[in-house]
Amino acid sequence: NAGVTQTPKFQVLKTGQSMTLQCAQDMNHNSMYWYRQDPGMGLRLIYYSASEGTTDKGEVPNGYNVSRLNKREFSLRLESAAPSQTSVYFCATRAGTEMKKLFFGSGTQLSVL
Amino acid sequence: GQQLNQSPQSMFIQEGEDVSMNCTSSSIFNTWLWYKQDPGEGPVLLIALYKAGELTSNGRLTAQFGITRKDSFLNISASIPSDVGIYFCAGGATNKLIFGTGTLLAVQP
C-alpha cells in the first residue's frame, strides 16, 4: 500500500535544463495537487487536477506545466529550470471534497544551480 | 499570495514540557487543519477542525478553532522526542487551502 509515490527523491539541475517530476497514487482519488515548499514559507499550490483530464493553475504556476496522464498519475514539468525553482516539491491527493482528506507524498528535493 | 502567520517559528524544549503554537489570519476560514512533517517526509494530518470554538484532541495533542474563525492553536502535552518535526496549520475556505509558515519543534531527551 504505497499511497502517494513521488520520483525522483532528489535532483540537481543546471539552469535551463528540463525535467519532469512524477507522482503516482494507488488510492483511487480524483483530485491531485502539486505544491512547493520553501524555507520560511507555507506550502504553495502550483497546479491541481480535480479529475482526470482537467488541470488548473494554483497560486504559483509560472515556469511549470502539468499533465494528468490518467487517474493515477500527475506529473510536473519544468521546461527551463531556474534557480528560483530550487525547492521541495510535494504531490498530494484528496479523497472526495473534504479538505482534511489530503494525503501527501514524501517530496522531491530539487536544486537548480 | 495569502499566507497564515504561525508562531513561534521554532521551539527548543526539554522532554516532558508542554508546547503551544498558534496561527492567525486576516481572513475567515471554515476549516482549520494541523499537520506534522517529519524530516524527509510529507505533511501528515494531525487534527481537523470545522466549527468556530471547536476543541478537538488526538492523544496528547489538542487544537482549537478560534471564535473569530481567524485563528487556531495547537497544544502538545508532555512532549516526547518523537514529537520533533515541523508543525503546519492550514486554513480552508471553499475549495482553497492556505498553509502557515510552520513551527519547528526540537525536543531534547
Side-chain angles (χ1 to χ4, degrees):
Chain A
N1 184 13
V4 183
T5 303
Q6 289 184 238
T7 54
K9 200 150 176 72
F10 302 96
Q11 183 72 50
V12 178
L13 293 177
K14 292 181 181 176
T15 297
Q17 285 186 315
S18 62
M19 82 156 294
T20 301
L21 280 63
Q22 307 286 353
C23 176
Q25 53 114 349
D26 62 4
M27 296 184 287
N28 202 35
H29 291 171
N30 284 325
S31 302
M32 298 185 73
Y33 304 81
W34 277 105
Y35 287 90
R36 61 177 288 172
Q37 183 179 41
D38 300 295
M41 303 188 79
L43 290 158
R44 293 182 293 167
L45 183 63
I46 304 170
Y47 269 94
Y48 67 99
S49 169
S51 61
E52 185 181 350
T54 68
T55 60
D56 285 288
K57 294 179 181 179
E59 185 186 349
V60 288
N62 291 345
Y64 305 95
N65 284 302
V66 289
S67 294
R68 183 74 183 267
L69 303 167
N70 46 56
K71 191 170 186 179
R72 287 190 65 245
E73 298 170 290
F74 188 38
S75 61
L76 179 71
R77 182 157 178 87
L78 287 71
E79 288 293 350
S80 179
S84 61
Q85 294 177 305
T86 294
S87 188
V88 181
Y89 291 85
F90 287 99
C91 176
T93 71
R94 189 170 74 178
T97 56
E98 280 191 71
M99 286 190 185
K100 74 173 185 179
K101 295 184 178 178
L102 192 65
F103 296 89
F104 287 87
S106 55
T108 293
Q109 191 166 323
L110 177 67
S111 294
V112 184
L113 307 177
Chain B
Q2 187 181 8
Q3 286 192 32
L4 299 180
N5 297 315
Q6 192 170 342
S7 64
Q9 276 192 329
S10 58
M11 304 180 74
F12 299 88
I13 62 170
Q14 297 281 337
E15 183 177 1
E17 286 185 28
D18 296 341
V19 169
S20 185
M21 60 191 78
N22 66 75
C23 259
T24 60
S25 170
S26 56
S27 304
I28 289 174
F29 290 110
N30 297 323
T31 306
W32 280 97
L33 308 173
W34 284 93
Y35 288 85
K36 184 193 177 200
Q37 183 177 20
D38 290 326
E41 298 295 328
V44 174
L45 182 69
L46 298 173
I47 292 179
L49 303 158
Y50 294 103
K51 274 193 313 192
E54 180 181 355
L55 185 74
T56 297
S57 293
N58 178 6
R60 294 177 295 106
L61 278 61
T62 302
Q64 184 156 31
F65 194 140
I67 290 291
T68 65
R69 295 166 63 193
K70 292 182 179 181
D71 62 340
S72 178
F73 73 75
L74 175 71
N75 286 344
I76 305 173
S77 62
S79 58
I80 58 178
S82 62
D83 289 335
V84 162
I86 303 176
Y87 291 79
F88 290 98
C89 62
T94 53
N95 210 25
K96 204 173 166 188
L97 202 58
I98 307 295
F99 284 86
T101 49
T103 294
L104 172 66
L105 178 63
V107 180
Q108 184 162 0

